[in-house]
Amino acid sequence: MKTMYGRQFATMVGMVLLSFLMLGASFATLSYQYTIREKKDTLERNARYIAQFTSDSVQSGGELVWQTSAFQNYLNSVALVSDTHIMVATPEGVVVYATIAGDFQPALQYVSLPQQTVEVITGGSYLGMTTLDGLYGEPRYLVGLPVTNTIGQLQGLVLVSSSASNISGVWRDLFSILLVTTLAVVLIAAIISSVTSMHMAQPIKEIAAAARQFGLGQLDVRVNVGFRRDEVGELADAFNAMADSLSKSEQRRTEFVANVSHELKTPMTTIAGFADGILDGTIPPDQERHYLQIISSETRRLSRLVRSMLDLSRLQSDERAAQQQFDICETLVRALLTLESKVTAKNLEVDAQLPEDEPIPVWGDQDAITQVCYNLLDNAIKFSKEGGVLGLGVTVKGPKATVTISNQGETIPPEEQSLIFDRFHKTDHSRSADRDGVGLGLYIVKTILNSHKENIICTSQDGVTKFIFTLTRA
């Protein structure tokens, strides 16, 4: 059975049948042993009573006591009440009296018992199932005891037997009850299994159907399984979470393609337009140099965009950041020195709050963190006001080192602060002020720090903008 319902139904029925088979076999065995033991104990107890009664009667009435009506009535009463057959025989094995209870008539009187049985009884007792060499038409449980006087002399034999058919009847009744109970339980188990299997399989079918729709590109499909809190509910929640993630990823991919297309189209349109204007003479010869400079600038911006995209692809393909120990203060200062000309061009004042007495070692990829520092400093310089203060500092708290880079300029609106780390995101002000930017610098910063399992936040208030990120101390 390939379906979940079929497998669960087969498992349920198989377990029920196996359980009842084992319980039935165990119960039948115990019942059989108990019945046999009880039957044997009863026969043996009755045989002892009759042997004792016969012994007492012989001692008080002589050897022909079994011919008296009182003795015979007693034996017939015992045989009738206990549903047994009783025979009294001489020490030589000749039956002198047999009860008439059941199908046995006095015709058994004066019949000789098998010699082997007589020897066993005279030797102590006989207990077993036998036909007495054909005296009984079917095997019977038989107990034989000797009759002795007070001094131990053998005076006769007593044999008490019971039919085995009553035990067979018990077995038949037991089998009937077990069969009916098994069928009832299997039917109930089938109904319960059917309901539970359908209840379990339905949401899984819905998930499978949603997955197939996902494969066809319908990313808005979700699974609704109600308020289930079991494993199936967890699977549905995980599927919906995956669907949300894929939907957001597809949305980001679409936006990324659109942004890349826009960013590539703008410089390429500028380059092609001015180049065509120079070639067809639309642009006067005295202005060609100016427009060639624009073409060169746009070409370099296009090159930076492609290089940034390649760097971003490389960063996203790395599974984890390389771990090495380095001084974050030295890395920050080295990145600042590479931007010295830009700091001087804007006449910025540098406020460095760095510890002078000892380095601050951290763990991470030094080249990647250098790029983080460079991008943040370059961004801070680019959007600083003329003659403003460029701040950088490093503080230590617990297992983390915190790096802060700040500048004085335009305040970033609160609704923009959560978006500045997105790919190709620029505010309107940024587009006019950052003509050379490609909109990937801060996104690269965020990607690098994410690969280091570190955080970065941005705050902007009263013209002061701060970027704060953490690193793990070595």
Side-chain angles (χ1 to χ4, degrees), residues 3 150 157 194 262 270 280 331 437 439:
T3 63
T150 55
L157 308 175
S194 178
H262 174 77
T270 302
D280 60 18
T331 301

Side-chain angles (χ1 to χ4, degrees), residues 400-417:
K400 296 289 185 179
T402 302
V403 181
T404 303
I405 297 175
S406 63
N407 71 300
Q408 293 178 339
E410 294 291 335
T411 300
I412 302 176
E415 63 273 11
E416 294 286 342
Q417 293 180 21

Side-chain angles (χ1 to χ4, degrees), residues 327-329 352-360 393-396:
D327 182 10
I328 182 59
C329 296
Q353 302 292 330
L354 303 176
E356 299 178 355
D357 51 345
E358 59 182 12
I360 300 179
V394 179
T395 58
V396 173

